[in-house]
Amino acid sequence: MMQRYDFLKAIAGDAGNALAVCTGWGAREWWALRPGDENLKTRTLGLVSSIAAGLALALPQRKVIAIDGDGAFLMNLCGLPTIALQSPPNLIHLLFDNECYEASGGTPTASHVADAVALARGAGYKHAIWVKTPSEFHSEFVQACKRNELTLIAAKVEPGQPGDLPPLRLDEIENKYRFMRYLEETEKRGILSPGFDSKL
Amino acid sequence: MALIFLDNTSGFAVSLAKQTSNLRLKFNPTVDPNMNAKQHAVRIVAGLKKAGVDFVATLPDEKMVEVIRSVEGDPELKHIPLCREEEGIGICAGAYLAGKKTALIMQNAGFLNSCNALTTTCLQFQIPTLLLIYYAGDMGDRGFTTLGSVTEPALQALGIRYVILRKADEIDETLCGAQILAEDSKKPVAVLLTKTVLGVK
């Protein structure tokens, strides 16, 4: 079985200028593969999918990728029907299921009995699929980008990551502001307030 | 101090002790008989829009159902009905980063549900949102006293500024004012909705 990094590597080149929301150890891997201010690192367990959905709903013309894990996915099962109800076509929900709380000490999650793809389908996702190899993952990802409908692509992975990854030097608040400035630049509109004398 | 005059002929006592008249704890909210829940809801949603809000995530309480119906029926507002308030904080956070002005409408139990997300996403990342929280267990409200008694301390514990909105004619000013504080501080700000401002019993 491969690791999350191998799957991310397979799609990093095809992500284009899609926004990516990630967390935990996967953030370091994603930044190593596709660095840039269009990546957002979050902290609250479970909210990668919801934050990505909020971005996708607010920016319907941009692709948004959620890089989710099984611990977070199970924490936010409540979020799945909400996301399915809105069904943002530009959201691609990626799930790397290593069956453990990797960033919290590595104890098991319930995902060895709870099938994430079945849960997503049950919640209303029209497209949700397990893939076995990075190459399958890549092909489903490219299809999802073209299809332009809410899609979950899930893969079982081994815990762990390459030992030689560059360290992720990230101030999370700086990341948030750079992300917002990136959106301002690429969406060509102001988002952050211009200053304390702006009028409501 | 009480002055009591006894009129022997008519046999009644006149008390001038007005200061003690509140001993009987009968809470008489001043609901304007000319307004009902729908009309109050329309004013609240108008106030939200005046404040600049354009993205609203909701999870109902019976007392706020007209507000949520008004949000749903308003073409200028993006309405996200939720399964759990906590995920709504995440959705609103994402929407804020992309330029939306967000609000959540929920009961105070829902606020308690959202405390982690409010703390580790909104407060930690300096992401504002307007929280319209129905105040179950407010003075005079039966059935929710435990919930009501922890609501304000919980908001205070998180350092979230809040105001209790009771009068319909303060809706616009309060919602605008709260939104200004939220945007400027980049923190969530809460407006606690009461039965009087919602026009319900």
Side-chain angles (χ1 to χ4, degrees), chain B residues 59-61 64 82 84-87 89 104-119 122-123 129-136 147-162 188-192:
Chain B
L59 201 138
D61 177 280
M64 294 190 301
L82 301 169
R84 187 178 166 87
E85 299 86 349
E86 183 185 18
E87 38 123 354
I89 302 287
L104 286 113
I105 303 180
M106 56 173 113
Q107 198 220 43
N108 41 350
F111 157 67
L112 292 181
N113 269 349
S114 332
C115 282
N116 176 35
L118 283 166
T119 302
C122 290
L123 294 177
T129 189
L130 190 57
L131 301 171
L132 262 59
I133 304 175
Y134 170 63
Y135 199 170
L147 174 58
S149 67
V150 307
T151 300
E152 291 184 59
L155 284 162
Q156 288 155 11
L158 267 47
I160 293 176
R161 284 182 80 167
Y162 65 92
V189 172
V191 175
L192 294 173

Side-chain angles (χ1 to χ4, degrees), chain A residues 96-180:
Chain A
F96 299 102
D97 185 355
N98 53 21
E99 297 188 353
C100 69
Y101 291 102
E102 186 173 43
S104 304
T107 51
T109 67
S111 71
H112 58 282
V113 301
D115 181 326
V117 165
L119 286 164
R121 287 231 188 91
Y125 274 55
K126 288 202 182 67
H127 306 283
I129 186 166
W130 284 108
V131 295
K132 287 210 166 66
T133 65
S135 129
E136 249 185 272
F137 191 69
H138 172 261
S139 140
E140 287 298 331
F141 180 76
V142 167
Q143 263 193 65
C145 290
K146 283 206 193 88
R147 183 191 300 136
N148 203 41
E149 282 176 40
L150 171 68
T151 304
L152 175 82
I153 311 171
K156 292 281 184 184
V157 300
E158 284 289 340
Q161 62 186 195
D164 58 352
L165 285 176
L168 181 57
R169 291 175 51 182
L170 195 74
D171 177 305
E172 59 194 15
I173 299 178
E174 181 189 11
N175 170 221
K176 169 234 173 176
Y177 284 103
R178 288 172 70 145
F179 182 80
M180 292 178 81

Side-chain angles (χ1 to χ4, degrees), chain B residues 4 7 12 23 33-36 66 76-77 82 87-88 94 107 109 121 143 150 163 166-167 173-174 196 201:
Chain B
I4 299 174
D7 183 334
F12 66 91
L23 277 174
N34 295 320
M35 288 183 78
N36 61 15
E66 292 301 338
E76 289 172 26
L77 293 174
L82 301 169
E87 38 123 354
Q107 198 220 43
T121 292
V150 307
V163 61
R166 295 198 188 281
K167 297 184 182 154
E173 186 188 340
T174 303
T196 51
K201 287 209 161 47

Side-chain angles (χ1 to χ4, degrees), chain B residues 40-97:
Chain B
H40 283 253
V42 165
R43 285 183 73 164
I44 290 170
V45 174
L48 273 181
K49 283 163 49 168
K50 262 206 198 93
V53 169
D54 57 10
F55 190 97
V56 185
T58 69
L59 201 138
D61 177 280
E62 185 213 355
K63 306 292 184 194
M64 294 190 301
V65 71
E66 292 301 338
V67 180
I68 294 176
R69 287 203 182 110
S70 291
V71 168
E72 172 61 26
D74 194 317
E76 289 172 26
L77 293 174
K78 177 71 179 170
H79 179 210
I80 312 290
L82 301 169
C83 297
R84 187 178 166 87
E85 299 86 349
E86 183 185 18
E87 38 123 354
I89 302 287
I91 295 181
C92 288
Y96 164 77
L97 295 174

Side-chain angles (χ1 to χ4, degrees), chain A residues 44 82 172 176-177 189 200, chain B residues 87 98 120-121 124 126 180:
Chain A
T44 308
T82 302
E172 59 194 15
K176 169 234 173 176
Y177 284 103
R189 56 184 165 87
L200 180 70
Chain B
E87 38 123 354
T120 61
T121 292
Q124 191 165 328
Q126 298 168 5
I180 287 174

